[in-house]
């Protein structure tokens, strides 16, 4: 390998190290380099995405890869250090220009990061000025193309509009389930799922003569009313009503959408929340789901609108057409609901179960300290993180209460990492109260045993929670 190719390889590897570290480590060790410092213009010194772990990853990669390419350790470490210095300088300039954190500016993003380390690498390789300019241009083009491809891998086109930090594994899962949804080969790409659910599981229920009864149970949806008591609920929200609809799986069972509409149409509520999983299958087309969701939205009477999050069966491409119908999605985002001088904050996170695209730090960053907050998530998996951020009410679904429960045993599976006491019904964790809905629809095989689907009407009350009833002591 010639000296020019070694230099380019080293520069590109150092350039790639920080984003790779962010994908692998995600929320761990992401201390900002600027410590949150702001200058007189009110803008961040560098930005939240410039972290100590990224700088250390770049410097370490420079030293290690330089050594593997036959360079002295000091040269490699100097390359990593100067490359990261150029990267931080670029961020400083972009903040002064008013560019948001993470924005890509062609040329400005690449040239300082290549120009500074080349001041060391070019003399070391005994190359001239022409080589310096040529290597700088080649690095800039390669780094820009690499950032474009990396962005495509980590975020699809629609996903770039939202506050997502999708890990590489999640992006690959999204490509498989969503990017190929309308591709002729999607059944082949997802053949393992079709074999498991459509062939093995469905056949097993048919052979045991339970399939018909299970389908009938799945269509027996109930309206469940639950009251929550809070001593710190803003006074104007006393008696506030919330309709919770989750795990609809509208294309999984004929007649399910009409059964749900018949329950929600007579209701008039303050707020409607959708907890994700609008599609039944884990992959493939979802146009039928969009049509049925529009019908359902038309039947809902709500004063403060309808808000939603994504589930592990959903695609981010569903968001734009549903938002045109008035359904607002919270993708690691928050919104304030006002009643006069009182405010209630609603926070929604991306799927924490299958895609692990949730980011509570970003979702809560606009929420004032001490504000009364409701967290809407697809699954109960991050109940402890939500409590640490001060959520007072956690609403979710995903588990279907197992969908199949056995006497004295309970759910066969819950598909959740949370303890079982948080996977069904009303629960409490510290000061935070929660509710995990059994869901309205069914997943995988369209049957239910030992549990029923539900539409949940929640009522918030401003008073102390009732004391648990204690048994009279036995003499």
């Amino acid at each position: 390998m010639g000296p020019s190719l070694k230099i380019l390889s080293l520069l590109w590897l150092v350039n790639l190290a920080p984003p790779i570290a962010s994908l692998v480590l995600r929320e761990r060790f992401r201390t900002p380099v600027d410590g949150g410092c702001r200058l007189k213009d009110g803008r961040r010194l560098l930005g939240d995405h410039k972290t100590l772990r990224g700088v250390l990853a770049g410097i370490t990669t420079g030293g290690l890869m330089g050594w593997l390419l036959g360079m002295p350790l000091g040269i490699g470490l100097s390359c990593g250090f100067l490359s990261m210095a150029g990267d931080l300088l670029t961020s400083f300039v972009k903040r002064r220009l008013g560019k948001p954190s993470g924005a890509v500016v062609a040329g400005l993003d690449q040239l300082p990061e290549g120009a500074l380390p080349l001041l060391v690498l070019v003399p070391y390789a005994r190359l001239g000025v022409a080589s310096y300019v040529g290597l700088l241009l080649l690095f800039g083009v390669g780094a820009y193309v690499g950032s474009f491809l990396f962005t495509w891998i980590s975020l699809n086109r629609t996903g770039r509009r939202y506050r997502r930090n999708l890990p590489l594994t999640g992006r690959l899962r999204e490509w498989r389930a969503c990017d190929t949804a309308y591709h002729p080969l999607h059944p082949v790409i997802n053949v393992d799922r079709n074999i498991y659910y459509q062939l093995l599981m469905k056949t097993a229920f048919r052979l045991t003569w339970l399939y018909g009864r299970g389908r009938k149970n799945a269509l027996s949806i109930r309206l469940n009313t639950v009251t929550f008591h809070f001593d710190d609920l803003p006074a104007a929200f006393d008696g506030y009503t919330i309709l919770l609809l989750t795990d609809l799986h509208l294309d999984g069972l004929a007649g399910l959408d009409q059964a749900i509409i018949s329950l929600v149409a007579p209701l008039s509520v303050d707020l409607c929340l959708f907890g994700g999983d609008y599609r039944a299958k884990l992959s493939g087309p979802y146009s039928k789901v969009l049509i049925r969701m529009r019908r359902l939205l038309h039947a809902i009477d709500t004063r403060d609108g309808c808000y939603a999050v994504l589930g592990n069966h959903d695609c981010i491409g569903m968001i734009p057409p549903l938002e045109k119908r008035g359904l607002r999605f919270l993708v690691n985002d928050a919104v304030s609901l006002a009643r006069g001088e009182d405010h209630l904050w609603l926070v929604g996170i991306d799927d924490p179960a299958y895609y692990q695209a949730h980011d509570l730090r970003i979702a809560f960053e606009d929420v004032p300290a001490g504000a009364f907050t409701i967290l809407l998530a697809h699954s109960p998996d991050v109940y402890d993180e939500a409590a640490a951020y001060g959520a007072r009410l956690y609403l979710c679904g995903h588990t279907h209460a197992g969908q199949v429960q056995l006497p004295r045993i309970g759910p066969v599976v819950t598909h959740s990492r949370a303890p079982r006491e948080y996977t069904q019904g009303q629960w409490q964790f510290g000061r935070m109260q929660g509710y995990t809905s059994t869901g309205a629809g069914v997943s995988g095989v369209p049957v239910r045993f030992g549990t029923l689907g539900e539409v949940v009407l929640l009522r918030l009350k401003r008073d102390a929670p009732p004391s648990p009833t204690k048994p009279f002591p036995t003499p």
Side-chain angles (χ1 to χ4, degrees):
M1 184 184 294
S4 295
L5 186 55
K6 286 184 179 180
I7 289 173
L8 283 174
S9 299
L10 180 59
L11 289 175
W12 284 330
L13 288 169
V14 172
N15 174 260
L16 191 60
I20 289 293
S22 71
L23 283 177
V24 173
L25 298 175
R26 300 198 70 198
E27 292 299 307
R28 298 189 293 274
F29 316 118
R30 60 176 301 166
T31 305
V33 174
D34 62 11
C37 177
R38 296 179 184 271
L39 297 184
K40 292 182 179 180
D41 59 8
R43 301 187 180 107
R44 288 284 293 271
L45 180 64
L46 298 174
D48 196 49
H49 69 302
K50 294 302 174 185
T51 60
L52 291 176
R53 74 179 180 198
V55 172
L56 291 175
I59 296 173
T60 303
T61 300
L64 178 61
M65 298 310 299
W67 177 74
L68 290 175
L69 289 170
M71 301 178 186
L73 181 61
I75 294 294
L77 290 173
S78 297
C79 172
F81 177 82
L82 291 172
S83 181
M84 292 299 98
D87 186 39
L88 297 179
L89 175 62
T90 298
S91 291
F92 176 80
V93 173
K94 288 196 294 185
R95 297 300 83 75
R96 308 288 73 75
L97 294 175
K99 301 293 183 181
S101 296
V104 178
V105 180
L108 179 59
D109 273 300
Q110 294 81 33
L111 295 183
E113 195 171 345
L116 293 181
L118 282 173
L119 293 174
V120 171
L121 295 172
V122 167
Y124 163 76
R126 298 179 181 179
L127 301 175
V129 175
S131 296
Y132 178 92
V133 174
L135 288 170
L136 181 58
L137 292 176
L138 287 173
F139 166 76
V141 172
Y144 179 77
V145 173
S147 67
F148 176 82
L149 293 175
F150 189 86
T151 302
W152 180 86
I153 291 173
S154 59
L155 289 175
N156 66 17
R157 187 173 300 172
T158 305
R160 295 174 198 169
R161 307 174 194 170
Y162 305 99
R163 309 167 84 176
R164 308 176 87 206
N165 183 23
L166 200 64
L168 182 58
T169 54
R171 176 64 189 118
L172 294 174
R173 289 170 176 173
E174 186 175 62
W175 173 85
R176 179 187 183 191
C178 300
D179 292 10
T180 63
Y182 291 91
H183 193 280
L185 292 179
H186 88 81
V188 178
I189 297 171
N190 296 278
V191 65
D192 56 325
R193 296 168 174 174
N194 293 326
I195 290 175
Y196 179 74
Y197 287 113
Q198 302 303 317
L199 182 61
L200 297 180
M201 294 299 294
K202 190 175 287 188
T203 300
F205 278 103
R206 289 185 186 277
L207 289 176
T208 55
W209 304 94
L210 294 173
Y211 186 70
R213 185 187 302 174
R215 281 177 62 93
K216 184 177 180 181
N217 293 341
L219 286 170
S220 300
I221 307 170
R222 60 180 176 173
L223 174 65
N224 194 10
T225 302
V226 182
T227 301
F228 287 93
H229 299 264
F230 301 94
D231 55 10
D232 58 343
L233 179 70
F237 289 91
D238 187 20
Y240 197 75
T241 54
I242 302 173
L243 178 63
L244 176 62
L245 298 166
T246 185
D247 300 281
L248 302 178
H249 301 292
L250 290 173
D251 56 340
L253 185 59
L256 179 65
D257 55 333
Q258 291 302 320
I260 298 172
I261 289 174
S262 66
L263 289 176
V264 304
L267 303 176
S268 179
V269 296
D270 292 304
L271 180 68
C272 179
L273 301 179
F274 287 85
D277 273 9
Y278 312 105
R279 180 172 68 174
K281 294 182 179 179
L282 285 166
S283 61
Y286 48 79
S287 54
K288 290 182 180 179
V289 176
L290 299 179
I291 294 172
R292 292 171 185 175
M293 277 293 293
R294 290 168 190 161
R295 293 176 188 159
L296 176 57
L297 287 168
H298 183 72
I300 295 173
D301 179 16
T302 172
R303 286 172 281 280
D304 289 338
C306 297
Y307 291 84
V309 295
L310 293 170
N312 60 295
H313 284 246
D314 303 322
C315 296
I316 200 163
M318 295 177 175
I319 294 181
L322 290 176
E323 286 195 327
K324 289 180 181 178
R325 297 288 176 173
L327 180 60
R328 177 176 173 182
F329 278 81
L330 296 174
V331 185
N332 299 322
D333 207 351
V335 64
S336 175
L337 305 174
R339 285 283 189 276
E341 297 296 322
D342 288 339
H343 292 266
L344 179 152
W345 280 82
L346 175 64
V347 177
I349 58 173
D350 207 345
D351 173 47
Y354 182 68
Y355 292 109
Q356 296 184 12
H358 63 291
D359 194 324
L360 276 81
R361 180 188 61 83
I362 293 177
F364 274 86
E365 68 180 4
D366 294 329
V367 179
F372 189 93
T373 307
I374 297 174
L375 178 73
L376 178 64
H378 177 59
S379 80
D381 289 19
V382 291
Y383 68 96
D384 49 349
E385 293 181 54
Y389 277 94
R392 295 292 283 115
L393 179 61
Y394 187 122
L395 302 176
C396 61
H398 177 64
T399 66
H400 295 256
Q403 198 165 304
V404 174
Q405 292 195 13
L406 300 178
R408 299 189 179 185
I409 296 177
V412 178
V413 292
T414 63
H415 297 292
S416 174
R417 299 185 298 273
R420 290 214 164 192
E421 58 264 33
Y422 305 126
T423 60
Q424 179 181 351
Q426 199 167 355
W427 47 267
Q428 184 158 352
F429 179 77
R431 292 188 71 240
M432 182 180 73
Q433 299 185 60
Y435 190 87
T436 304
S437 173
T438 63
V442 282
S443 176
V445 184
V447 298
R448 277 189 186 266
F449 291 99
T451 179
L452 294 177
E454 66 178 4
V455 169
V456 188
L457 179 61
L458 307 170
R459 190 178 304 276
L460 309 185
K461 297 293 294 180
R462 179 183 168 86
D463 54 28
S467 301
T469 303
K470 297 182 179 179
F472 191 82
T474 303

